[in-house]
Amino acid sequence: MKLYVAIPVVLLALLIAASGVAGITRGWVLPTNRRPVHRPRLYGWGQLVGAFALCSQQVFFWVPSDPDTRQWGSLSGSALLLTGLIMMMLSHRTRGNRQGSGTP
């Protein structure tokens, strides 16, 4: 097993998961993302789904010896990662399209 690839990815997933748990339980978001995030709990759930997807991709890449299982596991991990990214995208503020200058 190539631990020099698996260990950093799992550590990154743990950091993302910790940030997601903080977003879900306390509504806390990293300072660089505070301004655009409108719903921190949804953002936290998206981070948790993304962290789980990274871990599942690593598990399905390194553990099974069957190529079909490896392929479907990686594909399901990619779908989970995309789902987490969409959840994080939906938690951001939308920019309104204002008509006019806003002054009477």
Side-chain angles (χ1 to χ4, degrees), residues 10 22 26 28 36 47 53 79 83:
V10 170
R26 303 281 186 205
W28 184 83
Q47 284 183 319
T83 303

Side-chain angles (χ1 to χ4, degrees), residues 65-89:
S65 59
D66 182 31
D68 290 335
T69 305
R70 182 178 294 170
Q71 179 182 8
W72 285 106
S74 295
L75 184 64
S76 65
S78 297
L80 274 175
L81 188 60
L82 183 63
T83 303
L85 289 173
I86 289 172
M87 289 172 71
M88 286 188 277
M89 182 185 70

Side-chain angles (χ1 to χ4, degrees), residues 29-90:
V29 179
L30 288 170
T32 56
N33 294 337
R34 282 188 190 147
R35 172 161 263 150
V37 172
H38 184 63
R39 294 181 291 264
R41 294 199 186 346
L42 180 62
Y43 190 79
W45 278 111
Q47 284 183 319
L48 276 180
V49 170
F52 180 73
L54 286 175
C55 287
S56 71
Q57 282 182 338
Q58 287 299 305
V59 166
F60 281 110
F61 184 73
W62 295 111
V63 174
S65 59
D66 182 31
D68 290 335
T69 305
R70 182 178 294 170
Q71 179 182 8
W72 285 106
S74 295
L75 184 64
S76 65
S78 297
L80 274 175
L81 188 60
L82 183 63
T83 303
L85 289 173
I86 289 172
M87 289 172 71
M88 286 188 277
M89 182 185 70
L90 290 175

